[in-house]
Amino acid sequence: MPKITVVTATIRPQYLNLTYECLKKQTFKDFEWLIDIDFPSDKFLLPKAMNRLIKRSKGEIIVHLQDCIEIPDNFLETVVKEYDGSFTTYPVGKRNG
């Protein structure tokens, strides 16, 4: 079972390559990446897509990444190090405090 599930719901699959390239470079490798792709319409609802992804996830930690996003190479490693077992969110950039 992977430690982290990365979830991405998108209506812009052409931008997933940027996220994919960042995930390939991660120093922490024990993760799965789940994607829900749809095209702009009145029927695609981000919350429903996210719920589908979360139901399919197998990781202890769930990280939501938007399409077309860049993350540092150690981002997932930092999430695992900082995770204390409670529900928490972390910004991609520097943390204050």
Side-chain angles (χ1 to χ4, degrees):
M1 175 167 34
K3 181 76 172 174
I4 293 179
T5 298
V6 177
V7 296
T8 304
T10 184
I11 58 172
R12 306 175 304 185
Q14 68 272 23
Y15 296 114
L16 289 172
N17 62 329
L18 181 60
T19 308
Y20 173 71
E21 291 301 320
C22 288
L23 287 172
K24 278 190 346 186
K25 296 176 185 174
Q26 289 301 295
T27 55
F28 185 85
K29 302 291 186 188
D30 188 14
F31 69 91
E32 65 178 348
W33 185 28
L34 302 179
I35 305 165
D36 192 314
I37 298 174
D38 206 338
F39 296 94
S41 72
D42 293 335
K43 296 179 184 174
F44 183 75
L45 297 174
L46 185 60
K48 285 186 178 185
M50 292 303 295
N51 285 335
R52 286 191 299 268
L53 291 168
I54 290 168
K55 285 179 185 176
R56 290 178 33 214
S57 69
K58 293 181 175 44
E60 176 184 340
I61 302 167
I62 298 173
V63 174
H64 170 239
L65 291 182
Q66 291 179 287
D67 55 16
C68 195
I69 192 168
E70 292 183 68
I71 56 175
D73 294 351
N74 67 339
F75 179 72
L76 295 180
E77 181 179 347
T78 302
V79 169
V80 170
K81 285 180 183 176
E82 297 282 334
Y83 181 65
D84 66 1
S86 62
F87 177 76
T88 311
T89 60
Y90 298 100
V92 172
K94 287 186 174 181
R95 292 180 55 201
N96 295 329

